[in-house]
PDB file of all heavy atoms in Angstrom:
ATOM      1  N   VAL A  32      19.476 -36.476  12.234  1.00 30.00           N
ATOM      2  CA  VAL A  32      19.193 -37.700  12.955  1.00 30.00           C
ATOM      3  C   VAL A  32      19.797 -38.885  12.211  1.00 30.00           C
ATOM      4  O   VAL A  32      19.723 -38.979  10.989  1.00 30.00           O
ATOM      5  CB  VAL A  32      17.670 -37.883  13.083  1.00 30.00           C
ATOM      6  CG1 VAL A  32      17.349 -39.154  13.827  1.00 30.00           C
ATOM      7  CG2 VAL A  32      17.066 -36.682  13.782  1.00 30.00           C
ATOM      8  N   GLY A  33      20.394 -39.799  12.977  1.00 30.00           N
ATOM      9  CA  GLY A  33      20.975 -40.982  12.354  1.00 30.00           C
ATOM     10  C   GLY A  33      19.913 -41.986  11.968  1.00 30.00           C
ATOM     11  O   GLY A  33      18.714 -41.731  12.056  1.00 30.00           O
ATOM     12  N   GLU A  34      20.336 -43.157  11.571  1.00 31.00           N
ATOM     13  CA  GLU A  34      19.407 -44.204  11.160  1.00 31.00           C
ATOM     14  C   GLU A  34      18.524 -44.595  12.333  1.00 31.00           C
ATOM     15  O   GLU A  34      18.989 -45.009  13.378  1.00 31.00           O
ATOM     16  CB  GLU A  34      20.196 -45.431  10.677  1.00 31.00           C
ATOM     17  CG  GLU A  34      19.307 -46.560  10.168  1.00 31.00           C
ATOM     18  CD  GLU A  34      18.555 -46.180   8.910  1.00 31.00           C
ATOM     19  OE1 GLU A  34      19.042 -45.289   8.184  1.00 31.00           O
ATOM     20  OE2 GLU A  34      17.497 -46.749   8.658  1.00 31.00           O
ATOM     21  N   PRO A  35      17.209 -44.452  12.228  1.00 33.00           N
ATOM     22  CA  PRO A  35      16.343 -44.722  13.354  1.00 33.00           C
ATOM     23  C   PRO A  35      16.181 -46.208  13.579  1.00 33.00           C
ATOM     24  O   PRO A  35      16.354 -47.016  12.691  1.00 33.00           O
ATOM     25  CB  PRO A  35      15.017 -44.083  12.928  1.00 33.00           C
ATOM     26  CG  PRO A  35      15.033 -44.169  11.441  1.00 33.00           C
ATOM     27  CD  PRO A  35      16.473 -44.012  11.039  1.00 33.00           C
ATOM     28  N   SER A  36      15.786 -46.526  14.812  1.00 34.00           N
ATOM     29  CA  SER A  36      15.539 -47.914  15.156  1.00 34.00           C
ATOM     30  C   SER A  36      14.060 -48.221  15.183  1.00 34.00           C
ATOM     31  O   SER A  36      13.626 -49.182  15.789  1.00 34.00           O
ATOM     32  CB  SER A  36      16.148 -48.224  16.535  1.00 34.00           C
ATOM     33  OG  SER A  36      15.568 -47.363  17.514  1.00 34.00           O
ATOM     34  N   SER A  37      13.248 -47.357  14.522  1.00 38.00           N
ATOM     35  CA  SER A  37      11.806 -47.509  14.579  1.00 38.00           C
ATOM     36  C   SER A  37      11.265 -48.357  13.443  1.00 38.00           C
ATOM     37  O   SER A  37      10.079 -48.335  13.176  1.00 38.00           O
ATOM     38  CB  SER A  37      11.143 -46.136  14.563  1.00 38.00           C
ATOM     39  OG  SER A  37      11.607 -45.389  13.469  1.00 38.00           O
ATOM     40  N   GLY A  38      12.121 -49.081  12.758  1.00 36.00           N
ATOM     41  CA  GLY A  38      11.674 -50.022  11.749  1.00 36.00           C
ATOM     42  C   GLY A  38      11.035 -49.335  10.564  1.00 36.00           C
ATOM     43  O   GLY A  38      11.578 -48.397  10.009  1.00 36.00           O
ATOM     44  N   PRO A  39       9.841 -49.796  10.145  1.00 36.00           N
ATOM     45  CA  PRO A  39       9.231 -49.302   8.918  1.00 36.00           C
ATOM     46  C   PRO A  39       8.706 -47.879   9.003  1.00 36.00           C
ATOM     47  O   PRO A  39       8.276 -47.328   8.001  1.00 36.00           O
ATOM     48  CB  PRO A  39       8.064 -50.274   8.704  1.00 36.00           C
ATOM     49  CG  PRO A  39       7.726 -50.750  10.074  1.00 36.00           C
ATOM     50  CD  PRO A  39       9.031 -50.809  10.810  1.00 36.00           C
ATOM     51  N   LEU A  40       8.710 -47.290  10.202  1.00 41.00           N
ATOM     52  CA  LEU A  40       8.138 -45.957  10.336  1.00 41.00           C
ATOM     53  C   LEU A  40       8.861 -44.920   9.490  1.00 41.00           C
ATOM     54  O   LEU A  40       8.249 -44.030   8.926  1.00 41.00           O
ATOM     55  CB  LEU A  40       8.165 -45.536  11.808  1.00 41.00           C
ATOM     56  CG  LEU A  40       7.505 -44.198  12.132  1.00 41.00           C
ATOM     57  CD1 LEU A  40       6.032 -44.256  11.752  1.00 41.00           C
ATOM     58  CD2 LEU A  40       7.662 -43.855  13.587  1.00 41.00           C
ATOM     59  N   LEU A  41      10.202 -45.014   9.407  1.00 41.00           N
ATOM     60  CA  LEU A  41      10.962 -44.016   8.664  1.00 41.00           C
ATOM     61  C   LEU A  41      11.735 -44.628   7.508  1.00 41.00           C
ATOM     62  O   LEU A  41      12.137 -43.908   6.591  1.00 41.00           O
ATOM     63  CB  LEU A  41      11.932 -43.296   9.612  1.00 41.00           C
ATOM     64  CG  LEU A  41      12.502 -41.962   9.110  1.00 41.00           C
ATOM     65  CD1 LEU A  41      11.374 -40.988   8.829  1.00 41.00           C
ATOM     66  CD2 LEU A  41      13.450 -41.385  10.130  1.00 41.00           C
ATOM     67  N   THR A  42      11.947 -45.960   7.524  1.00 36.00           N
ATOM     68  CA  THR A  42      12.745 -46.582   6.479  1.00 36.00           C
ATOM     69  C   THR A  42      12.082 -46.375   5.127  1.00 36.00           C
ATOM     70  O   THR A  42      10.923 -46.716   4.938  1.00 36.00           O
ATOM     71  CB  THR A  42      12.899 -48.091   6.742  1.00 36.00           C
ATOM     72  OG1 THR A  42      13.470 -48.271   8.028  1.00 36.00           O
ATOM     73  CG2 THR A  42      13.777 -48.733   5.685  1.00 36.00           C
ATOM     74  N   ARG A 140       3.148 -46.706  20.211  1.00 85.00           N
ATOM     75  CA  ARG A 140       4.485 -47.163  19.859  1.00 85.00           C
ATOM     76  C   ARG A 140       4.422 -48.370  18.903  1.00 85.00           C
ATOM     77  O   ARG A 140       5.205 -48.479  17.965  1.00 85.00           O
ATOM     78  CB  ARG A 140       5.251 -47.544  21.115  1.00 85.00           C
ATOM     79  CG  ARG A 140       6.713 -47.892  20.875  1.00 85.00           C
ATOM     80  CD  ARG A 140       7.311 -48.607  22.081  1.00 85.00           C
ATOM     81  NE  ARG A 140       7.159 -47.825  23.301  1.00 85.00           N
ATOM     82  CZ  ARG A 140       8.006 -46.890  23.702  1.00 85.00           C
ATOM     83  NH1 ARG A 140       9.068 -46.604  22.976  1.00 85.00           N
ATOM     84  NH2 ARG A 140       7.803 -46.243  24.822  1.00 85.00           N
ATOM     85  N   ARG A 148       4.004 -38.846  14.597  1.00 90.00           N
ATOM     86  CA  ARG A 148       5.414 -39.112  14.876  1.00 90.00           C
ATOM     87  C   ARG A 148       6.236 -39.052  13.596  1.00 90.00           C
ATOM     88  O   ARG A 148       7.344 -38.501  13.581  1.00 90.00           O
ATOM     89  CB  ARG A 148       5.544 -40.478  15.528  1.00 90.00           C
ATOM     90  CG  ARG A 148       6.989 -40.909  15.783  1.00 90.00           C
ATOM     91  CD  ARG A 148       7.036 -42.287  16.376  1.00 90.00           C
ATOM     92  NE  ARG A 148       8.406 -42.803  16.434  1.00 90.00           N
ATOM     93  CZ  ARG A 148       8.701 -44.039  16.820  1.00 90.00           C
ATOM     94  NH1 ARG A 148       7.735 -44.886  17.182  1.00 90.00           N
ATOM     95  NH2 ARG A 148       9.959 -44.435  16.841  1.00 90.00           N
ATOM     96  N   GLU A 152       9.653 -36.727  12.853  1.00 91.00           N
ATOM     97  CA  GLU A 152      10.926 -37.380  12.520  1.00 91.00           C
ATOM     98  C   GLU A 152      11.408 -36.966  11.131  1.00 91.00           C
ATOM     99  O   GLU A 152      12.595 -36.692  10.923  1.00 91.00           O
ATOM    100  CB  GLU A 152      10.763 -38.901  12.595  1.00 91.00           C
ATOM    101  CG  GLU A 152      10.648 -39.438  14.010  1.00 91.00           C
ATOM    102  CD  GLU A 152      10.577 -40.948  14.040  1.00 91.00           C
ATOM    103  OE1 GLU A 152      10.175 -41.546  13.013  1.00 91.00           O
ATOM    104  OE2 GLU A 152      10.927 -41.531  15.076  1.00 91.00           O
ATOM    105  N   LEU A 177      13.836 -38.726  25.532  1.00 92.00           N
ATOM    106  CA  LEU A 177      13.339 -39.347  24.301  1.00 92.00           C
ATOM    107  C   LEU A 177      14.193 -40.546  23.906  1.00 92.00           C
ATOM    108  O   LEU A 177      13.679 -41.561  23.411  1.00 92.00           O
ATOM    109  CB  LEU A 177      13.297 -38.311  23.178  1.00 92.00           C
ATOM    110  CG  LEU A 177      12.227 -37.219  23.336  1.00 92.00           C
ATOM    111  CD1 LEU A 177      12.432 -36.127  22.296  1.00 92.00           C
ATOM    112  CD2 LEU A 177      10.824 -37.806  23.202  1.00 92.00           C
ATOM    113  N   LEU A 178      15.506 -40.447  24.122  1.00 92.00           N
ATOM    114  CA  LEU A 178      16.374 -41.595  23.843  1.00 92.00           C
ATOM    115  C   LEU A 178      16.064 -42.741  24.804  1.00 92.00           C
ATOM    116  O   LEU A 178      16.028 -43.922  24.401  1.00 92.00           O
ATOM    117  CB  LEU A 178      17.842 -41.183  23.945  1.00 92.00           C
ATOM    118  CG  LEU A 178      18.374 -40.270  22.826  1.00 92.00           C
ATOM    119  CD1 LEU A 178      19.787 -39.810  23.136  1.00 92.00           C
ATOM    120  CD2 LEU A 178      18.332 -40.989  21.470  1.00 92.00           C
ATOM    121  N   GLU A 180      13.257 -43.344  26.139  1.00 90.00           N
ATOM    122  CA  GLU A 180      11.945 -43.903  25.797  1.00 90.00           C
ATOM    123  C   GLU A 180      12.000 -44.664  24.469  1.00 90.00           C
ATOM    124  O   GLU A 180      10.967 -45.130  23.987  1.00 90.00           O
ATOM    125  CB  GLU A 180      10.920 -42.761  25.691  1.00 90.00           C
ATOM    126  CG  GLU A 180      10.631 -42.055  27.001  1.00 90.00           C
ATOM    127  CD  GLU A 180       9.598 -42.791  27.833  1.00 90.00           C
ATOM    128  OE1 GLU A 180       9.096 -43.841  27.367  1.00 90.00           O
ATOM    129  OE2 GLU A 180       9.303 -42.325  28.948  1.00 90.00           O
ATOM    130  N   ASP A 181      13.204 -44.781  23.887  1.00 89.00           N
ATOM    131  CA  ASP A 181      13.395 -45.486  22.616  1.00 89.00           C
ATOM    132  C   ASP A 181      12.698 -44.763  21.451  1.00 89.00           C
ATOM    133  O   ASP A 181      12.069 -45.372  20.598  1.00 89.00           O
ATOM    134  CB  ASP A 181      12.890 -46.931  22.703  1.00 89.00           C
ATOM    135  CG  ASP A 181      13.437 -47.784  21.546  1.00 89.00           C
ATOM    136  OD1 ASP A 181      14.482 -47.406  20.979  1.00 89.00           O
ATOM    137  OD2 ASP A 181      12.797 -48.812  21.213  1.00 89.00           O
ATOM    138  N   PHE A 182      12.876 -43.426  21.424  1.00 90.00           N
ATOM    139  CA  PHE A 182      12.405 -42.623  20.300  1.00 90.00           C
ATOM    140  C   PHE A 182      13.602 -41.854  19.725  1.00 90.00           C
ATOM    141  O   PHE A 182      13.650 -40.620  19.793  1.00 90.00           O
ATOM    142  CB  PHE A 182      11.315 -41.639  20.730  1.00 90.00           C
ATOM    143  CG  PHE A 182      10.066 -42.289  21.235  1.00 90.00           C
ATOM    144  CD1 PHE A 182       9.616 -42.044  22.523  1.00 90.00           C
ATOM    145  CD2 PHE A 182       9.345 -43.153  20.412  1.00 90.00           C
ATOM    146  CE1 PHE A 182       8.454 -42.630  22.985  1.00 90.00           C
ATOM    147  CE2 PHE A 182       8.172 -43.756  20.885  1.00 90.00           C
ATOM    148  CZ  PHE A 182       7.735 -43.503  22.172  1.00 90.00           C
ATOM    149  N   PRO A 183      14.582 -42.551  19.147  1.00 91.00           N
ATOM    150  CA  PRO A 183      15.781 -41.855  18.662  1.00 91.00           C
ATOM    151  C   PRO A 183      15.486 -40.882  17.531  1.00 91.00           C
ATOM    152  O   PRO A 183      16.173 -39.863  17.384  1.00 91.00           O
ATOM    153  CB  PRO A 183      16.683 -42.995  18.201  1.00 91.00           C
ATOM    154  CG  PRO A 183      15.747 -44.117  17.886  1.00 91.00           C
ATOM    155  CD  PRO A 183      14.623 -44.001  18.869  1.00 91.00           C
ATOM    156  N   GLY A 184      14.486 -41.198  16.732  1.00 90.00           N
ATOM    157  CA  GLY A 184      14.162 -40.288  15.629  1.00 90.00           C
ATOM    158  C   GLY A 184      13.599 -38.967  16.082  1.00 90.00           C
ATOM    159  O   GLY A 184      13.570 -38.001  15.314  1.00 90.00           O
ATOM    160  N   LEU A 185      13.139 -38.897  17.334  1.00 92.00           N
ATOM    161  CA  LEU A 185      12.580 -37.660  17.878  1.00 92.00           C
ATOM    162  C   LEU A 185      13.524 -36.966  18.849  1.00 92.00           C
ATOM    163  O   LEU A 185      13.181 -35.923  19.407  1.00 92.00           O
ATOM    164  CB  LEU A 185      11.264 -37.954  18.610  1.00 92.00           C
ATOM    165  CG  LEU A 185      10.107 -38.512  17.773  1.00 92.00           C
ATOM    166  CD1 LEU A 185       8.941 -38.874  18.684  1.00 92.00           C
ATOM    167  CD2 LEU A 185       9.652 -37.494  16.739  1.00 92.00           C
TER     168      LEU A 185
END
Side-chain angles (χ1 to χ4, degrees):
V32 180
E34 183 66 25
S36 59
S37 53
L40 184 61
L41 197 59
T42 303
R140 186 195 304 274
R148 176 182 171 185
E152 287 184 337
L177 290 171
L178 289 173
E180 294 277 359
D181 196 23
F182 297 120
L185 297 174

